[in-house]
Amino acid sequence: MSSLKTLISKVKNKISIAIIGLKNAGKTELVKRILQTEDFLQISTQESLGLKLYVHENLTLLTWDIIDSLPSDHSLWKRAILGANVLFFIVDSTDRAHLTLNKQLLWALIEEVLPDRLLILGSKADSSKSISIDELLDTLEVVELDKRTRCHCDLFKFSAKTGEGMYTIEEWLTKTLFKQRERIIDYVHIAACVTLCEETSDLMDVILTPKPDLSLITTIHHIRRKATIFSRVMRIHKTAEEVTEHNKYKIVLVKQKGYVIALIVNQNDSVPRAIQIAKNILQLVKDYCTTPESLKKTITLLYPLDVAN
Ligand SMILES: Nc1nc2c(ncn2[C@@H]2O[C@H](COP(=O)(O)OP(=O)(O)O)[C@@H](O)[C@H]2O)c(=O)[nH]1
Ligand SMILES: [Mg+2]
């Protein structure tokens, strides 16, 4: 289950997200990634208009394929978008040819619906053809848009295939939807860390909590398997991210530079911080973390306040 789904299921309110973009931008893949299943409940479709509605408990995702301009008959799509809490505008970051059209559509759409909360998403970040955040910002003129509309607007890149950036999106939703106070530092509690070298399939783990209980030991076993599967599934990708849960723990898996690292943290810990720590350790893993002792030393030295005690 994605942590977004878990998060939303914890609140009583209904949450709806409108996901808009050209055909093939990656909307359906994003929906699958959020719902984490292929057989979602698609309760109603307006296929002729390119509108699709996916409902899961109190979460509604509405996708809309724009063709090449906003339809002149405003009634249905406009009502659908105005009814949503958040608007995602998806731009295929590998599709340079349609960037200008995307800019025109985005600006026209914003002028039409004036959303309070807008997130522009560059999809397919895993692809080698994916263009940079800076180029997206420039071409879509996001800074100008932000000034002009005064809506809460941001731009991120993500990949529905590798999970990269998905947790930045969730963090953004948490802040915008639930108005969570922004904490400067959100320490996590790293109970254990498992690394996997893809070339050799060597697994290494360290326990960082002084009093490991059975539940942690079984979680580590589980993670060793999980890391191996994750590494296999993501073999063709340079980077990948995934978050899962086991027993009372949250597991953050990050792949980079031929290594997979899994951090076992507490269930309510901040995922973005755990991902950042995992990435930082991955920068060092080859040089300093070749034995469990050196891995433990590196984590404890770099993140003394994040190690569970
Ligand atoms: N490499 C890559 N391809 C993706 C990603 N998301 C979607 N695609 C591909 O892009 C195409 C269109 O995706 P889809 O979600 O159906 O687009 P939609 O028309 O906006 O719903 C499909 O072939 C997907 O496999 C991604 O994150 N990475
Ligand atoms: Mg689709």
Side-chain angles (χ1 to χ4, degrees):
M1 183 190 280
S2 76
S3 39
L4 177 62
K5 238 169 51 175
T6 318
L7 176 80
I8 288 174
S9 65
K10 280 184 192 145
V11 297
K12 283 191 206 89
N13 306 11
K14 287 190 173 158
I15 302 287
S16 63
I17 303 175
I19 304 173
I20 291 165
L22 291 171
K23 185 131 191 68
N24 284 325
K27 299 176 293 297
T28 307
E29 290 295 326
L30 175 63
V31 167
K32 283 191 214 161
R33 183 86 204 187
I34 292 173
L35 300 179
Q36 300 263 302
T37 165
E38 296 273 336
D39 55 338
F40 29 72
L41 184 65
Q42 198 175 315
I43 61 156
S44 113
T45 35
Q46 285 281 345
E47 291 254 28
S48 58
L49 277 161
L51 283 174
K52 284 185 197 156
L53 202 60
Y54 307 87
V55 180
H56 177 85
E57 292 172 2
N58 55 342
L59 171 65
T60 301
L61 301 171
L62 170 113
T63 64
W64 179 42
D65 292 321
I66 318 180
I67 310 300
D68 49 12
S69 61
L70 301 185
S72 47
D73 172 15
H74 288 163
S75 51
L76 184 62
W77 68 262
K78 199 166 166 178
R79 251 188 300 135
I81 295 167
L82 287 174
N85 301 92
V86 177
L87 176 61
F88 285 178
F89 188 84
I90 314 279
V91 178
D92 181 345
S93 76
T94 65
D95 183 8
R96 207 177 270 278
H98 287 103
L99 273 183
T100 313
L101 175 60
N102 266 311
K103 190 230 147 175
Q104 286 159 1
L105 291 171
L106 172 65
W107 279 68
L109 185 71
I110 300 317
E111 237 156 66
E112 197 70 56
V113 296
L114 290 173
D116 289 336
R117 307 172 184 109
L118 166 71
L119 187 55
I120 306 162
L121 292 170
S123 63
K124 313 183 191 178
D126 59 282
S127 164
S128 57
K129 284 189 283 178
S130 171
I131 64 170
S132 71
I133 278 270
D134 284 347
E135 194 171 344
L136 281 173
L137 278 169
D138 278 357
T139 328
L140 302 171
E141 297 184 35
V142 175
V143 177
E144 188 57 30
L145 188 76
D146 193 44
K147 266 195 248 155
R148 196 85 70 84
T149 61
R150 293 169 191 271
C151 71
H152 188 110
C153 164
D154 272 302
L155 180 142
F156 306 132
K157 279 207 330 185
F158 78 101
S159 162
K161 299 250 186 241
T162 66
E164 238 182 301
M166 287 304 299
Y167 308 99
T168 318
I169 299 176
E170 292 177 12
E171 170 92 336
W172 184 91
L173 277 172
T174 314
K175 276 188 199 136
T176 33
L177 290 175
F178 309 122
K179 305 247 178 324
Q180 274 202 353
R181 239 177 351 109
E182 219 169 312
R183 278 165 287 182
I184 311 230
I185 297 179
D186 248 328
Y187 293 113
V188 296
H189 310 77
I190 311 170
C193 171
V194 174
T195 63
L196 170 94
C197 170
E198 296 206 300
E199 206 182 303
T200 58
S201 304
D202 281 347
L203 277 155
M204 177 167 81
D205 54 58
V206 295
I207 298 177
L208 291 144
T209 177
K211 293 187 203 100
D213 57 7
L214 191 61
S215 124
L216 181 59
I217 305 293
T218 57
T219 302
I220 293 171
H221 265 294
H222 171 78
I223 299 322
R224 291 175 69 101
R225 257 204 333 272
K226 181 93 202 166
T228 310
I229 296 167
F230 177 71
S231 143
R232 238 180 259 148
V233 173
M234 294 298 166
R235 193 172 32 216
I236 56 164
H237 303 292
K238 270 204 209 115
T239 54
E241 295 168 17
E242 189 176 321
V243 179
T244 60
E245 287 180 11
H246 189 262
N247 290 340
K248 54 186 186 189
Y249 296 104
K250 200 180 254 167
I251 293 104
V252 171
L253 287 146
V254 177
K255 173 192 156 142
Q256 211 167 271
K257 297 172 84 190
Y259 278 84
V260 168
I261 204 158
L263 292 182
I264 302 179
V265 298
N266 280 356
Q267 216 156 35
N268 296 323
D269 283 353
S270 153
V271 172
R273 179 155 177 93
I275 288 181
Q276 198 48 56
I277 294 175
K279 284 183 176 167
N280 294 349
I281 300 170
L282 278 167
Q283 295 297 325
L284 303 170
V285 81
K286 236 182 188 150
D287 307 331
Y288 305 108
C289 315
T290 46
T291 63
E293 298 75 54
S294 60
L295 178 62
K296 186 171 184 169
K297 213 160 133 192
T298 307
I299 300 176
T300 324
L301 202 72
L302 291 177
Y303 299 101
L305 297 175
D306 291 281
V307 169
N309 47 38

